[in-house]
């Protein structure tokens, strides 16, 4: 079998000199980031890994319903067992592997329907105890817990009341956030208030379309007929996160940090004729979120499009301002790939835009393998958005035929190459003054890739889904080597 050569020469030669810009005005002396080493981690999410859908009084989530009742991912594909990560005997073995690999942080999500089974009201203390034990177990292994409050599994009762379409969702979420800070303020410093607002809405639209037998394909950019629904949901979710951030600040957690993880997609126009189209897509997927958080306004071009097309937006005049004033202390960036945009007047249906693939380019499940675009994105944050503190909350890849278990080994050379190249891009941006303080591979383990099921592996640890046997892949070993080189990085 071809052996992966751990080539860290390039990484070794990277100077750790940071530019003067790296002391951002957004970080005060009590910032976690100023006082601790760079976070080298991996990430996962409750529904994708935990299993145990009814254990310890857990309530049902929208995903339990969609997977089991409507089989949106296919017959028998669901999160009922997943990678058995709710089981302490199992996860302790996994934490041992994280420690051996040298991870210094672990990003995981807690399940809202475990903590408040019907979404609002009575708190399930058994679930709280479970997660408190999990956090203590991580800390005992020297791993910083990075806790995501919400990674798409919404209590079913709330989903049935309209979910994120309902403006009351802001209050539901704020109450849940208060319960979380009340119960974890003494143990957890770094909170990811919510994950990928955009993609969650896309997934919900896809699940609904499967349930209604329309079977529309998954699309990162909401189709024109869904745009109003999507923008209204984005607004509610951003307001919910803003409310949670304000509540977080009332706790005064020493070195506490609260941000949201958003997926960002640098856009690339294929030609000059497509430049405006690329800007429009950028407005929906990137600026809608970044402008609200860092400028306190929604992008004018998207609001104009909505007005011209008479979209029924239910956005209050002061909503974006409230988001801008929430005081999120860092930005979580989930980066996988850019979006390639082509103006295509022959296809007016989808904004007159198509998304071609790039020639001579390596493609992963989530798009083109373009580490240069991660650097471009990070520099944009420095130049256009005031250089906020950043954690890469997700970066990673899955490739067809990269995860073959043979003689007890998985030589996932393409994933290893992807991770290494993206870390180099990130460190290069950091040297140029970008305030990035952490990096998390998606994912620690192979797990349930939502509607795509168990066939799309993203993990650095291979999981045999029948036996729950784990095998550390070559990518994990290479990542461990990189961490060793950079452990003292600030
Ligand atoms: O598995 C997902 C995760 O839930 C959200 N970010 C992207 C990952 C890989 O597609």
């Amino acid at each position: 079998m071809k052996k992966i050569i751990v080539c860290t020469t390039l990484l070794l030669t990277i100077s750790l000199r940071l530019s003067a810009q790296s002391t951002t005005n957004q970080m005060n002396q009590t910032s976690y980031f100023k006082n601790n080493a760079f976070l080298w981690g991996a990430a996962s999410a409750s529904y994708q890994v935990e299993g145990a859908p009814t254990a310890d009084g857990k309530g049902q989530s929208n995903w339990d319903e969609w997977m089991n009742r409507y089989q949106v991912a296919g017959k028998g594909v669901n999160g009922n067992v997943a990678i058995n990560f709710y089981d302490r005997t199992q996860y302790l073995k996994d934490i041992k592997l994280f420690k051996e690999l040298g991870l210094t942080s672990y990003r995981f999500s807690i399940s809202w329907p475990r903590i408040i089974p019907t979404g609002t009201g009575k708190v399930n203390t058994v679930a709280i105890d479970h997660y408190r034990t999990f956090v203590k177990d991580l800390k005992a292994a020297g791993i910083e817990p990075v806790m995501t409050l919400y990674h798409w599994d919404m209590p079913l009762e709330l989903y049935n009341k309209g979910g994120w379409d309902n403006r009351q969702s802001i209050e539901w979420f704020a109450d849940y956030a208060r319960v979380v800070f009340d119960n974890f303020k003494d143990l957890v410093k770094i909170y990811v208030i919510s994950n990928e607002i955009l993609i969650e809405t896309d997934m919900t639209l896809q699940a609904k379309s499967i349930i209604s037998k329309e079977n529309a394909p998954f699309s990162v950019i909401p189709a024109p007929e869904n745009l109003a629904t999507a923008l209204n949901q984005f607004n509610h979710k951003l307001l919910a996160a803003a409310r949670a951030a304000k509540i977080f600040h009332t706790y005064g957690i020493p070195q506490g940090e609260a941000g949201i993880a958003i997926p960002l997609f640098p856009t690339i126009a294929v030609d000059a004729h497509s430049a405006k189209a690329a800007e429009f897509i950028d407005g929906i997927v990137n600026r809608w979120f970044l402008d609200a958080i860092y400028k306190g306004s929604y992008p004018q071009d998207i609001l104009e499009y909505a007005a011209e097309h008479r979209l029924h937006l239910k956005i209050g005049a002061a909503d974006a301002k409230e988001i801008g004033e929430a005081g999120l202390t860092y930005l979580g960036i989930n980066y996988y790939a850019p979006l390639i945009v082509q103006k295509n007047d022959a296809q007016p249906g989808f904004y007159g835009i198509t998304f071609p693939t790039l020639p001579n380019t390596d493609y992963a499940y989530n798009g083109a393998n373009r580490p240069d675009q991660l650097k471009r994105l990070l520099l944009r944050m420095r130049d256009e958005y005031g250089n906020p503190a950043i954690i890469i909350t997700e970066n990673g890849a899955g490739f067809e035929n990269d995860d073959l278990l043979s003689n007890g080994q998985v030589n996932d050379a393409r994933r290893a190459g992807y991770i290494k190249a993206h870390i180099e891009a990130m460190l290069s941006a950091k040297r140029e003054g970008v305030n990035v303080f952490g990096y998390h591979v998606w994912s620690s383990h192979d797990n349930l890739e939502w509607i795509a099921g168990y066939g799309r592996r993203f993990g650095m640890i291979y999981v045999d889904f029948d036996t729950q046997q784990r095998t550390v892949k070559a990518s994990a070993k290479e990542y461990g080597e990189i961490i060793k080189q950079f452990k003292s990085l600030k």
Side-chain angles (χ1 to χ4, degrees):
M1 186 166 53
K2 217 172 94 198
K3 207 170 156 242
I4 288 190
I5 298 170
V6 179
C7 175
T8 47
T9 334
L10 219 162
L11 290 165
L12 268 168
T13 58
I14 290 175
S15 141
L16 304 184
R17 179 176 44 87
L18 304 181
S19 83
Q21 260 178 307
S22 66
T23 39
T24 169
N25 48 14
Q26 306 204 11
M27 275 181 294
N28 58 34
Q29 292 303 323
T30 62
S31 152
Y32 178 90
F33 307 127
K34 278 204 83 172
N35 292 287
N36 293 279
F38 191 90
L39 299 165
W40 290 105
S44 68
S46 49
Y47 189 71
Q48 294 179 270
V49 297
E50 284 183 345
T54 54
D56 295 340
K58 175 180 174 293
Q60 294 299 282
S61 73
N62 53 339
W63 280 96
D64 288 316
E65 171 96 338
W66 293 343
M67 291 287 202
N68 290 303
R69 180 161 174 200
Y70 298 108
Q71 316 218 11
V72 295
K75 208 164 172 222
V77 181
N78 53 55
N80 296 355
V81 177
I83 67 163
N84 194 33
F85 204 66
Y86 189 74
D87 176 351
R88 184 160 187 249
T89 314
Q90 174 63 68
Y91 83 60
L92 282 174
K93 290 187 215 157
D94 290 318
I95 290 179
K96 191 162 174 280
L97 291 180
F98 301 162
K99 190 176 177 185
E100 281 163 14
L101 292 170
L103 300 194
T104 62
S105 65
Y106 192 68
R107 175 181 170 226
F108 61 99
S109 80
I110 53 176
S111 159
W112 185 353
R114 283 194 198 281
I115 293 189
I116 309 179
T118 52
T120 54
K122 196 164 172 358
V123 174
N124 177 11
T125 54
V126 189
I128 301 274
D129 289 347
H130 168 82
Y131 288 123
R132 282 185 64 85
T133 305
F134 178 70
V135 164
K136 286 180 192 163
D137 289 335
L138 280 176
K139 289 171 79 138
I143 297 171
E144 187 67 45
V146 176
M147 177 186 275
T148 306
L149 275 68
Y150 179 72
H151 196 126
W152 308 353
D153 40 353
M154 177 177 258
L156 185 58
E157 291 205 14
L158 300 183
Y159 179 77
N160 288 339
K161 286 184 185 159
W164 295 110
D165 291 326
N166 187 336
R167 201 172 165 104
Q168 254 190 295
S169 55
I170 301 165
E171 311 305 329
W172 302 333
F173 188 77
D175 290 345
Y176 164 58
R178 191 171 285 107
V179 169
V180 174
F181 300 135
D182 265 343
N183 284 284
F184 294 95
K185 59 180 183 300
D186 59 325
L187 286 179
V188 176
K189 293 187 187 308
I190 307 174
Y191 297 88
V192 182
I193 292 172
S194 66
N195 183 71
E196 293 188 0
I197 289 173
L198 166 78
I199 304 295
E200 186 203 18
T201 291
D202 296 336
M203 282 277 181
T204 305
L205 290 167
Q206 193 196 13
K208 279 185 169 168
S209 159
I210 294 171
I211 292 167
S212 70
K213 307 230 175 339
E214 232 178 279
N215 291 319
F218 176 82
S219 170
V220 168
I221 300 98
E225 63 274 20
N226 294 324
L227 190 60
T229 302
L231 296 178
N232 288 329
Q233 285 194 7
F234 299 167
N235 184 50
H236 291 161
K237 291 190 231 183
L238 283 166
L239 281 167
R243 207 62 70 77
K246 280 193 187 147
I247 294 168
F248 161 83
H249 283 296
T250 64
Y251 284 83
I253 298 170
Q255 294 187 23
E257 303 285 354
I260 62 171
I262 59 173
L264 291 173
F265 299 86
T267 56
I268 301 176
V270 290
D271 50 30
H273 176 58
S274 305
K276 261 199 102 71
E279 204 181 314
F280 175 72
I281 295 302
D282 179 59
I284 297 176
V285 301
N286 301 321
R287 281 182 288 117
W288 185 268
F289 303 94
L290 293 172
D291 285 12
I293 297 169
Y294 293 108
K295 300 181 177 169
S297 59
Y298 284 125
Q300 201 51 38
D301 53 340
I302 305 304
L303 292 175
E304 277 164 17
Y305 175 93
E308 267 167 40
H309 292 79
R310 297 176 192 286
L311 301 189
H312 185 44
L313 294 193
K314 295 180 272 179
I315 297 176
D319 286 357
K321 189 163 172 279
E322 183 175 339
I323 295 157
E325 288 169 354
L328 293 162
T329 67
Y330 73 92
L331 178 71
I333 293 183
N334 292 3
Y335 172 76
Y336 288 86
L339 284 169
I340 319 303
V341 181
Q342 181 159 37
K343 178 83 187 128
N344 190 337
D345 300 315
Q347 292 207 17
F350 204 88
Y351 311 100
I353 293 170
T354 50
F355 299 89
T357 48
L358 287 171
N360 310 317
T361 302
D362 187 28
Y363 267 82
Y365 293 135
N366 283 2
N369 179 354
R370 290 288 300 266
D372 61 310
Q373 295 300 309
L374 173 59
K375 180 169 179 188
R376 179 176 158 227
L377 166 63
L378 292 172
L379 295 180
R380 181 186 191 188
M381 292 311 306
R382 181 195 67 185
D383 299 337
E384 287 180 38
Y385 290 100
N387 208 10
I390 290 172
I391 302 180
I392 306 287
T393 31
E394 288 182 25
N395 175 240
F399 296 89
E400 207 84 44
N401 299 322
D402 198 34
D403 293 298
L404 307 175
L405 179 64
S406 162
N407 300 323
Q409 300 202 16
V410 179
N411 185 16
D412 56 338
R414 297 179 76 191
R415 176 174 299 105
Y418 177 102
I419 292 172
K420 180 168 163 289
H422 284 75
I423 290 174
E424 282 169 1
M426 170 191 70
L427 290 175
S428 167
K430 186 168 171 62
R431 283 201 318 282
E432 291 179 33
V434 174
N435 283 310
V436 56
F437 295 103
Y439 174 87
H440 296 81
V441 173
W442 183 273
S443 179
S444 54
H445 301 75
D446 295 332
N447 57 46
L448 172 57
E449 181 61 7
W450 306 104
I451 292 172
Y454 288 98
R456 285 196 179 185
R457 294 174 181 269
F458 278 81
M460 293 185 293
I461 299 171
Y462 183 92
V463 178
D464 179 323
F465 296 116
D466 296 323
T467 62
Q468 296 298 335
Q469 173 77 34
R470 273 52 168 164
T471 304
V472 173
K473 300 182 194 179
S475 58
K477 295 175 191 160
E478 174 142 4
Y479 185 45
E481 288 301 319
I482 293 171
I483 295 173
K484 250 191 230 157
Q485 303 294 328
F486 289 100
K487 224 160 190 171
S488 59
L489 183 64
K490 270 270 175 163

